[in-house]
Amino acid sequence: MSEHERRVLARLERLLRQDEAIDLGMRRLAVGRRHVLRGIGSGRSLGLLCLLSLSLMITGIATSQTLVTVAFAAVWAVTLLLAATWLFASSRRRSL
């Protein structure tokens, strides 16, 4: 960034921090992100969810039970959400 852009950005940040509601919201947002990323930082939970999803999928195919298929769908959705979050967090760490 150029020096002029840095000054404009710093001025905007100062103005936004003067508004207490915006400042509080930004701090809460930053804390919330760190909390989510800290829980999946190692990728172990993601690996376990992948294994659970795989086992539920195989069991659902073998037994054709609706309850197992619904459980697989729920676990798979959470797995995909955590995988996306983990990938975005790891790419962000690399770029910093």
Side-chain angles (χ1 to χ4, degrees), residues 29-94:
L29 181 64
V31 169
R33 281 186 188 157
R34 278 185 258 147
H35 177 68
V36 168
L37 297 179
R38 182 179 36 199
I40 60 168
S42 67
R44 287 183 186 164
S45 59
L46 182 59
L48 290 173
L49 279 173
C50 286
L51 289 174
L52 179 62
S53 296
L54 182 64
S55 65
L56 283 172
M57 181 181 67
I58 292 170
T59 305
I61 291 171
T63 63
S64 298
Q65 291 184 356
T66 306
L67 185 60
V68 176
T69 306
V70 170
F72 163 71
V75 171
W76 183 243
V78 172
T79 303
L80 289 178
L81 179 68
L82 284 178
T85 306
W86 186 74
L87 285 172
F88 289 136
S90 64
S91 66
R92 188 175 182 177
R93 276 183 250 140
R94 286 186 197 144

Side-chain angles (χ1 to χ4, degrees), residues 1-11:
M1 250 194 280
S2 71
E3 182 62 32
H4 175 69
E5 291 170 333
R6 278 187 236 146
R7 279 186 275 141
V8 169
L9 182 61
R11 187 171 10 136

